[in-house]
Amino acid sequence: MTDLNRRQFLNTAAIGAAAAAAGGLAHAAPAPASICALPAKWEETYELVVVGSGGAGLATAVMAAQKGVKKILVLEKMGYIGGNTAISGGGFNSYDPPRQKAQNIQDSPENHAKNTMQGGDNRANPELVRTMTENSYAAVQWLESMGMKFKPDVYQIYGGLFPRCHAPFGSLGSDYIKVLKAQCDQLGIEIRRNSRVTRVIRETPLTGDVLGVEYEDAKKVKHAIRATKSTVIAAGGFGANAKMRALYDPRMLNLTTTNHTGATGDLIPLLQDIGAATTGMDFIQCNPGCPPGRKHRVIMHLIVKNFIMVDMQGKRFVAEDERRDVIRDAILSLPKQTAFSLIDQNGFDETNPGHQKGIEKGFETGDAWKADTIEELAKKINVEPAVLRKTIDDFNAGVDAQKDALGKAPGQLRKIERAPFYAAYAGMSVHHTMGGIVINTKTQVIDRRGEIIPKLHAVGEITGGIHGTNRLGGNAICDIFTFGRLTGMYVAEGI
């Protein structure tokens, strides 16, 4: 047996033994020898290799470059950059002393952490949560220093539980990507599209440093890239992977998704192959989106004070400021697992331009409707006009009394009264996967024995432990930019 074959044999045996010892992995098959083999040749060498060009990946790369890392490569498997960040609503939760003081809102990192822990049933890692909430405002300021613009007031986003959400001034989450891409260009950060990572390469499968990655280009040719400082995995979650979703929660198999098509969790098993631990993989969040069989998602629910939800009979069934998992389960329990979101012209005016265009497209696709009266709107959505009229009248009376029948908080009550009126389908779509790779507060990846995997970081939705069972609205953007900024700093420091 040659030295190389002997090493591969021993390494493969080590993976099989570790799998048998780990809880729930007793029946895992031994890893193929290709996982264990070092490349015959490193084609290129960079100080930092980042996998994924969404908000987390670009933030990491930009901050690392700003802190002195000289040679950085971002690998993106899709033909476009931005990931889920680019198509998100872009709401960024953070305490913000100037904005919140001007609105008479009392907030703090501690309050944000408390909301996050309680909103996730205290299943999040408290240290990760504190790290996020204590550093979030610095991330807001950092983004603003590069040209990111937010609206002057914070608001309570859908499922956010508190008014601390920052709305991009322009349109959607794509605003962040435009700002960061411009920084990448200025700083000489290379972004390689159509580059699907097929292996994360470690000295041995379960020990030693991570050395770099192997990726496959558009022509299916594989390339080995060395990373001398760190490899950072920011490849997103698995919301668009129905098979993987159903592996952890069978209810998720046939649902639509709000995610871009590349959010398939490809890097999670690759990291597991080199020993990375995972947590909370069955914590999967849904948001109002396309009902089964529909294709166009209309978003009218992001600003809690502006919308109500009604079932197919035209009656409210849940407080709209509830946790996202509460609203998910309420909609999934409806006979057709479908509801309607309703706003008036005030709500439409405060919807960001990108989502306004989505509503208008919904008029064409049959997913949204507009009418001058509530009764006319009821007819368009095939609801009894008298029932919907009573629902609106009762809700508005509750606004006047500052006491909502379903318990919506007084600060989130606003009348549905200014014509024209709008409605859109609100089914349930898979939105966010809270589970993923285990990290510490420095975003270093942790293995199945609780040890750090050297020279490997993970950031963004691919990670687990930050949100617990349920992510607060606005906390995903907070997560990716807060930890992305910190990761770039850690890499520059050699951590």
Side-chain angles (χ1 to χ4, degrees), residues 192-407:
R192 218 170 272 181
R193 298 171 176 82
N194 298 306
S195 301
R196 184 175 67 88
V197 169
T198 55
R199 274 204 304 148
V200 178
I201 303 170
R202 193 176 183 185
E203 287 183 300
T204 74
L206 298 177
T207 61
D209 293 352
V210 167
L211 302 176
V213 300
E214 178 186 82
Y215 80 90
E216 186 177 81
D217 64 23
K219 296 180 180 179
K220 306 299 183 183
V221 177
K222 291 186 177 181
H223 308 271
I225 306 295
R226 180 84 166 89
T228 58
K229 277 187 173 292
S230 182
T231 298
V232 176
I233 309 300
F238 56 97
N241 187 332
K243 184 177 179 180
M244 185 179 285
R245 292 179 341 221
L247 180 66
Y248 300 105
D249 186 341
R251 297 178 302 169
M252 303 294 131
L253 179 62
N254 295 316
L255 297 185
T256 58
T257 182
T258 66
N259 289 205
H260 80 114
T261 57
T264 50
D266 301 359
L267 269 292
I268 293 175
L270 299 187
L271 292 176
Q272 289 174 312
D273 286 342
I274 60 168
T278 59
T279 185
M281 295 293 285
D282 60 333
F283 301 156
I284 299 174
Q285 184 173 89
C286 297
N287 257 8
C290 298
R294 308 297 303 182
K295 294 183 179 180
H296 177 60
R297 183 186 185 219
V298 178
I299 298 175
M300 301 198 312
H301 62 273
L302 289 186
I303 302 178
V304 172
K305 68 178 181 179
N306 286 342
F307 83 103
I308 64 170
M309 299 183 81
V310 300
D311 61 19
M312 303 298 279
Q313 284 72 50
K315 299 178 181 179
R316 287 177 71 216
F317 58 95
V318 69
E320 294 82 8
D321 60 349
E322 267 285 8
R323 286 171 31 160
R324 290 185 172 185
D325 55 344
V326 172
I327 297 175
R328 175 199 67 194
D329 293 344
I331 289 181
L332 291 180
S333 70
L334 295 174
K336 294 184 179 181
Q337 297 186 325
T338 303
F340 297 103
S341 294
L342 271 67
I343 59 174
D344 66 0
Q345 188 61 39
N346 290 326
F348 183 85
D349 289 344
E350 294 182 9
T351 300
N352 73 41
H355 289 147
Q356 286 180 349
K357 292 179 181 177
I359 293 171
E360 290 165 351
K361 181 179 178 181
F363 301 153
E364 302 171 6
T365 63
D367 296 285
W369 302 267
K370 176 181 178 181
D372 291 327
T373 67
I374 293 297
E375 289 77 10
E376 181 186 355
L377 186 67
K379 292 177 182 177
K380 288 187 175 184
I381 64 175
N382 199 28
V383 164
E384 177 60 43
V387 174
L388 187 60
R389 178 78 265 174
K390 185 177 187 306
T391 294
I392 299 299
D393 289 346
D394 289 348
F395 174 75
N396 288 343
V399 177
D400 287 333
Q402 287 291 281
K403 188 174 182 179
D404 180 54
L406 295 183

Side-chain angles (χ1 to χ4, degrees), residues 18-246:
L25 295 175
H27 301 290
S34 60
I35 291 173
C36 313
L38 297 181
K41 175 185 177 182
W42 295 103
E43 293 187 22
E44 298 174 273
T45 298
Y46 289 80
E47 287 190 297
L48 170 62
V49 173
V50 178
V51 181
S53 70
L58 294 186
T60 297
V62 168
M63 176 51 84
Q66 290 175 349
K67 290 294 184 179
V69 179
K70 297 300 184 184
K71 195 173 182 185
I72 301 172
L73 173 65
V74 178
L75 295 172
E76 171 55 57
K77 76 171 182 178
M78 307 303 290
Y80 53 84
I81 68 169
N84 275 342
T85 308
I87 60 172
S88 72
F92 187 148
N93 269 354
S94 177
Y95 81 103
D96 187 323
R99 285 181 173 90
Q100 290 179 315
K101 183 177 180 180
Q103 295 174 250
N104 295 313
I105 298 169
Q106 300 295 320
D107 198 14
S108 66
E110 293 76 20
N111 190 42
H112 188 184
K114 179 181 177 181
N115 294 155
T116 300
M117 290 299 299
Q118 292 178 340
D121 294 318
N122 294 302
R123 294 290 299 276
N125 180 332
E127 293 183 357
L128 290 175
V129 173
R130 283 194 297 271
T131 299
M132 180 179 74
T133 63
E134 289 171 0
N135 291 278
S136 61
Y137 185 53
V140 170
Q141 294 175 304
W142 175 64
L143 287 163
E144 289 179 321
S145 75
M146 295 183 290
M148 182 66 193
K149 297 185 184 301
F150 296 101
K151 292 181 179 180
D153 291 344
V154 296
Y155 68 103
Q156 182 171 324
I157 194 172
Y158 169 80
L161 305 185
F162 195 86
R164 62 170 65 93
C165 196
H166 298 66
F169 191 83
S171 182
L172 303 168
S174 56
D175 290 357
Y176 298 104
I177 302 303
K178 292 173 185 175
V179 166
L180 290 168
K181 175 59 166 62
Q183 289 293 312
C184 288
D185 293 342
Q186 291 177 24
L187 294 165
I189 296 168
E190 182 181 355
I191 301 174
R192 218 170 272 181
R193 298 171 176 82
N194 298 306
S195 301
R196 184 175 67 88
V197 169
T198 55
R199 274 204 304 148
V200 178
I201 303 170
R202 193 176 183 185
E203 287 183 300
T204 74
L206 298 177
T207 61
D209 293 352
V210 167
L211 302 176
V213 300
E214 178 186 82
Y215 80 90
E216 186 177 81
D217 64 23
K219 296 180 180 179
K220 306 299 183 183
V221 177
K222 291 186 177 181
H223 308 271
I225 306 295
R226 180 84 166 89
T228 58
K229 277 187 173 292
S230 182
T231 298
V232 176
I233 309 300
F238 56 97
N241 187 332
K243 184 177 179 180
M244 185 179 285
R245 292 179 341 221

